[in-house]
Amino acid sequence: MDKKEEAVLFPTVGAAEGQLPYNYYEPIIPYEEPQCNTPDIKFFSEIEAATVDWLWYPYIPFGKVTIIQGDPGEGKTTLALNIAAILSRGERLPTELEYTYTYNSITSIYQTAEDGLADTIKPRLTAANADCSRICTIIEGSDALHFCDSRLEDTIASTGAKLLIMDPIQAYLGADVDMHRANEIRPVMSRLEAIAEKYSCAVVLIGHMNKSGKKAQYKGLGSIDITAAARSVLFVGRRDNDKRKRCIIPIKSNLAPEGRAVLFSVGEQLTWEGFDDIDISKVCSDMGHSYEKTPSKVEQAEFFLKELFDGKREIRSTEVENAAREQGISKRVLDTAKKNLHISSRKSGDYWFYVFPD
């Protein structure tokens, strides 16, 4: 018998004196000290600082997630395909800022759930003079591709791709993921971020806008955590209500100063038209949207509470707090928002309620 498993055996309680013990014996296992799992810790003095490399400075970084969002039909797909085409030829994207690029031609992966590969994507790439030997797609078959799919990482690794474009976001979250729930979105986006960083691959997600008239960061469909995971968010919209003129306006830039709006026009071919200072609020207004700067965490929590109540007088506290937790809102932030909105609490029987003011 192994020493660690040695046991002192004694008769089961209840055996009569002078009789043989029952066949059942209880082992007494020697006490063992519990093992402590020490977390892997690094002091920042041990971590070497690194600079960010850019696919397109200051708009699309390598190794990070970028979102290009706008209304349907405003040229997001055309823009994304032209970016892949330019990079396939070893050329540079237009810039007015000085930056030394470290790459030549780039292999891209383009995934779409909305357009036909043969009748839409290939003709657009051909019109953009793409080197189609440098642009590939994963044939999904009966198994729908998603952000946590091992085929994504395998394809990036095998092709050496430095650009992954997925159009649109909601098609690739996974069948069981609710895009409006932060607790379901976060692990999915974290997986995508990890792949991007591991292979220094720029991941570009194409997103549609909603028509709610909410603040700009809420306009992208789904949880705000999708936008939070991106290091860069670019808005594509129409200029001067012209059916051909477009602009790319940075609305989030965590890794570099925001660049100016990039101007382009669409037609048989995409044409770059320089840079300009454009008021995004005017562009959004022309499109029927409102625009405000990125809200703070407390402002997001206030918005959440207003949406949750939506005409209700009171809601049980546990329901509010559970819903807030799913949206990634901490108790401290929730309490601050509650105070700002003059929401009170009252107890009825065994339950507490949030009471919205008149």
Side-chain angles (χ1 to χ4, degrees), residues 180-184 186 223-225 297 300-301 304 321-331 333-334:
H180 297 91
R181 291 184 174 271
N183 62 323
E184 296 184 19
R186 285 181 177 177
S223 168
I224 195 173
D225 282 72
K297 290 183 178 180
Q300 293 175 33
F304 158 78
E321 290 162 8
N322 288 339
R325 194 177 302 113
E326 288 182 353
Q327 293 297 319
I329 299 172
S330 70
K331 185 65 167 60
V333 170
L334 182 66

Side-chain angles (χ1 to χ4, degrees), residues 329-345:
I329 299 172
S330 70
K331 185 65 167 60
R332 179 182 60 79
V333 170
L334 182 66
D335 288 342
T336 302
K338 176 186 173 186
K339 181 179 178 181
N340 291 350
L341 295 175
H342 307 290
I343 296 173
S344 59
S345 296

Side-chain angles (χ1 to χ4, degrees), residues 55 82-94 101 103-106 128-129 272:
L55 176 85
N82 273 267
I83 289 173
I86 289 170
L87 298 172
S88 74
R89 301 192 301 266
E91 298 175 10
R92 300 289 183 260
L93 291 158
Y101 291 98
Y103 61 84
N104 294 313
S105 60
I106 277 181
N129 297 317
W272 302 103

Side-chain angles (χ1 to χ4, degrees), residues 22 24 46 67 77 101 104-105 137 149 168 170 175 195 215 222 232 280 340 358:
Y22 298 120
Y24 175 81
E46 304 173 82
I67 294 175
T77 297
Y101 291 98
N104 294 313
S105 60
T137 191
D149 199 312
Q170 61 268 31
I195 293 174
K215 295 182 180 181
S232 175
I280 188 172
N340 291 350
D358 293 329

Side-chain angles (χ1 to χ4, degrees), residues 126-147:
T126 301
N129 297 317
D131 178 353
C132 290
S133 69
R134 303 302 302 270
I135 304 171
C136 66
T137 191
I138 300 169
I139 305 302
E140 299 183 32
S142 59
D143 295 325
L145 196 70
H146 53 84
F147 289 160

Side-chain angles (χ1 to χ4, degrees), residues 76-86 110 121 124-125 128 165:
K76 301 184 300 297
T77 297
T78 299
L79 172 64
L81 289 171
N82 273 267
I83 289 173
I86 289 170
Y110 185 85
I121 301 303
R124 289 189 184 185
L125 286 172
I165 302 168

Side-chain angles (χ1 to χ4, degrees), residues 97-300:
L97 301 174
E98 188 173 327
Y99 183 79
T100 303
Y101 291 98
T102 59
Y103 61 84
N104 294 313
S105 60
I106 277 181
T107 296
S108 302
I109 303 168
Y110 185 85
Q111 292 301 132
T112 178
E114 295 188 333
D115 297 306
L117 299 179
D119 60 16
T120 303
I121 301 303
K122 179 60 182 291
R124 289 189 184 185
L125 286 172
T126 301
N129 297 317
D131 178 353
C132 290
S133 69
R134 303 302 302 270
I135 304 171
C136 66
T137 191
I138 300 169
I139 305 302
E140 299 183 32
S142 59
D143 295 325
L145 196 70
H146 53 84
F147 289 160
C148 296
D149 199 312
S150 61
R151 289 175 291 177
L152 276 182
E153 183 172 358
D154 292 344
T155 305
I156 292 171
S158 63
T159 63
K162 292 297 180 183
L163 173 61
L164 167 65
I165 302 168
M166 305 190 78
D167 181 6
I169 294 172
Q170 61 268 31
Y172 296 103
L173 291 173
D176 299 325
V177 176
D178 184 340
M179 68 185 300
H180 297 91
R181 291 184 174 271
N183 62 323
E184 296 184 19
I185 288 296
R186 285 181 177 177
V188 171
M189 296 304 294
S190 293
R191 169 63 178 164
L192 198 59
E193 290 174 272
I195 293 174
E197 184 172 359
K198 180 178 179 179
Y199 295 95
S200 296
C201 180
V203 175
V204 174
L205 307 179
I206 309 299
H208 295 318
M209 307 279 274
N210 62 45
K211 296 288 187 179
S212 65
K214 301 173 185 176
K215 295 182 180 181
Q217 299 298 349
Y218 288 104
K219 288 184 183 301
L221 293 177
S223 168
I224 195 173
D225 282 72
I226 296 175
T227 302
R231 300 298 85 194
S232 175
V233 179
L234 307 173
F235 169 83
V236 175
R238 192 169 299 203
R239 288 184 284 142
D240 305 322
N241 281 322
D242 189 304
K243 65 180 182 179
R244 295 173 63 91
K245 293 181 178 180
R246 302 289 187 272
C247 59
I248 307 165
I249 305 176
I251 59 175
K252 177 181 177 182
S253 181
N254 286 135
L255 303 175
E258 285 186 359
R260 293 206 297 166
V262 184
L263 312 182
F264 68 99
S265 62
V266 294
E268 291 185 5
Q269 288 188 322
L270 182 146
T271 305
W272 302 103
E273 298 181 340
F275 302 84
D276 199 0
D277 295 309
I278 292 182
D279 183 359
I280 188 172
S281 61
K282 183 180 184 307
V283 176
C284 286
S285 177
D286 290 342
M287 295 169 63
H289 296 296
S290 60
Y291 176 82
E292 293 180 35
K293 287 294 185 181
T294 306
S296 67
K297 290 183 178 180
V298 172
E299 288 173 330
Q300 293 175 33

